[in-house]
Amino acid sequence: MPLIYRCITDDDTSKFCHRVSEALSKGWSLHGSPSMAHDPIKGVMRMGQAVTKEIEAEYHPDMKLGQQ
């Protein structure tokens, strides 16, 4: 089965955690550790988490990965 990849990013708030939790509830798996960096323009910490998922369909660049 093809494996698809996406990276979820957002400010370090509960919204980020909810986005990652939603992806996990839809069958995505964590890929590596989360990352954190300071955004000096916005003055906030930013989070990132890569996730992967096996799909039955063939990968196509027009796929809406968040809807898989």
Side-chain angles (χ1 to χ4, degrees), residues 50-63:
V51 292
T52 59
K53 183 178 184 179
E54 286 187 1
I55 58 170
E56 295 193 22
E58 186 173 323
Y59 169 77
H60 190 276
D62 293 334
M63 293 177 105

Side-chain angles (χ1 to χ4, degrees), residues 8-20 34-39 42-48:
I8 300 169
T9 61
D10 214 326
D11 293 347
D12 184 18
T13 65
S14 62
K15 180 182 174 188
F16 171 77
C17 296
H18 286 289
R19 291 181 65 205
V20 173
S35 62
M36 180 184 282
H38 184 258
D39 179 341
K42 290 177 70 177
V44 298
M45 294 302 289
R46 298 277 298 165
M47 298 294 297

Side-chain angles (χ1 to χ4, degrees), residues 1 3 5 7 10 20 22 28 32 36 43 49 52 56-57 65:
M1 279 191 205
L3 188 66
Y5 167 95
C7 186
D10 214 326
V20 173
E22 178 183 31
W28 291 83
M36 180 184 282
Q49 176 64 60
T52 59
E56 295 193 22
L65 297 177

Side-chain angles (χ1 to χ4, degrees), residues 26-38:
K26 292 182 176 181
W28 291 83
S29 297
L30 298 176
H31 182 79
S33 299
S35 62
M36 180 184 282
H38 184 258

